[in-house]
Amino acid sequence: MGVDVRTRGALDRVAATHGLSQCQTEALAGYVDLLLGWRRSNVTGLTDPVAVVDTLIGDSLALLGVPQLQERENGAWLDLGAGAGIPGVPLAVSLPAVRITLLDAVSKKCVFLEAAVAAAALAGRASVVCARSERYAGAGAPGREVHDVVLARAVAQLEVLVELAAPLLAQDGVLLASKTRAALDDEGDAAAVAAERCGLRAEPPVPLSASPLDQTVCAVFRKTEPSPDWLPRREGMAAKRPFGV
């Protein structure tokens, strides 16, 4: 189908802001075209093409300004609750050395993610895992303590993300969670309690000044200790009985 002139203009502006090459811009165009044309379900909740570029692609690429992400741009990453592939797909397009796992438990989202990997020319660097994070991070599972970065956007409250991310992270790995400043103010204290229980440490949040969204920040948690054997808890327990309450 291909993106229209307005959408192409928005993409070119975002690409210029972040110094992307023509090849990377074309990969993002293929991904945006898929987002807009996916008829099995509305995977984004947005229908305006320019809003898709600004709100999803622009906000994702704003994370390129986070120092903890820059330090790990050659690492193994995981997008937790990847959904439509935001922010993992745009970030992987922009950082050619990244290897990323797109993790989601909903089968129809995983079908979309497989198509997104192809549309964004990420074959060989991105893989889709359709599973609960608790299962993927369990004892002896392939996702346990192997990721340098865990990304999360619009997935769950911060204290829940901290617990789910902890057994997925390698030592000194980081959880990077996009939040509004108001949400971080509401959730930060409980998340700090959960982090202490799970072997992570909260670091100062990073304002995402390049994001088109107001008051967006990146909450940062660094893994400082190996995950205890009791993590992860049973499926769903992190949300039902969070540690920060």
Side-chain angles (χ1 to χ4, degrees):
M1 181 172 63
V3 297
D4 62 20
V5 174
R6 288 179 63 243
T7 310
R8 170 62 68 173
L11 270 170
D12 288 344
R13 289 194 300 274
V14 169
T17 297
H18 297 284
L20 302 188
S21 69
Q22 185 62 36
C23 182
Q24 289 169 322
T25 305
E26 290 304 320
L28 286 178
Y31 173 55
V32 169
D33 189 35
L34 181 72
L35 282 170
L36 294 170
W38 193 255
R39 300 304 182 196
R40 304 184 199 186
S41 62
N42 187 335
V43 293
T44 70
L46 298 172
T47 57
D48 179 71
V50 174
V52 166
V53 174
D54 289 339
T55 303
L56 300 183
I57 307 301
D59 190 53
S60 296
L61 295 182
L63 287 163
L64 293 170
V66 176
Q68 293 90 339
L69 182 146
Q70 297 169 2
E71 295 163 0
R72 294 163 175 81
E73 64 179 45
N74 296 316
W77 294 13
L78 182 137
D79 191 340
L80 177 61
I86 299 294
V89 169
L91 287 171
V93 168
S94 67
L95 296 171
V98 163
R99 306 178 308 281
I100 192 163
T101 298
L102 304 169
L103 178 68
D104 205 286
V106 180
S107 58
K108 66 181 180 180
K109 293 181 180 179
C110 295
V111 171
F112 173 81
L113 289 169
E114 293 282 5
V117 168
L122 291 175
R125 292 202 293 120
S127 59
V128 177
V129 174
C130 199
R132 296 273 310 206
S133 67
E134 296 97 332
R135 184 165 298 187
Y136 191 57
R144 187 174 180 84
E145 297 190 304
V146 297
H147 302 97
D148 302 296
V149 175
V150 169
L151 302 162
R153 181 183 187 275
V155 177
Q157 288 195 320
L158 197 50
E159 63 200 288
V160 177
L161 292 176
V162 165
E163 179 178 342
L164 295 178
L168 292 162
L169 284 167
Q171 187 70 11
D172 202 44
V174 289
L175 165 65
L176 304 178
S178 298
K179 289 282 182 178
T180 64
R181 171 61 68 177
L184 182 59
D185 289 344
D186 288 343
E187 301 170 15
D189 289 345
V193 172
E196 185 175 357
R197 291 284 301 272
C198 297
L200 274 62
R201 182 185 69 236
E203 298 192 345
V206 180
L208 298 181
S209 57
S211 173
L213 304 180
D214 292 336
Q215 299 294 311
T216 305
V217 298
C218 179
V220 182
F221 293 84
R222 185 184 299 267
K223 185 162 183 175
T224 57
E225 301 174 17
S227 292
D229 292 341
W230 49 263
L231 273 182
R233 291 191 284 170
R234 295 196 315 274
E235 293 181 10
M237 288 297 292
K240 290 178 183 177
R241 298 180 185 173
F243 289 135
V245 174

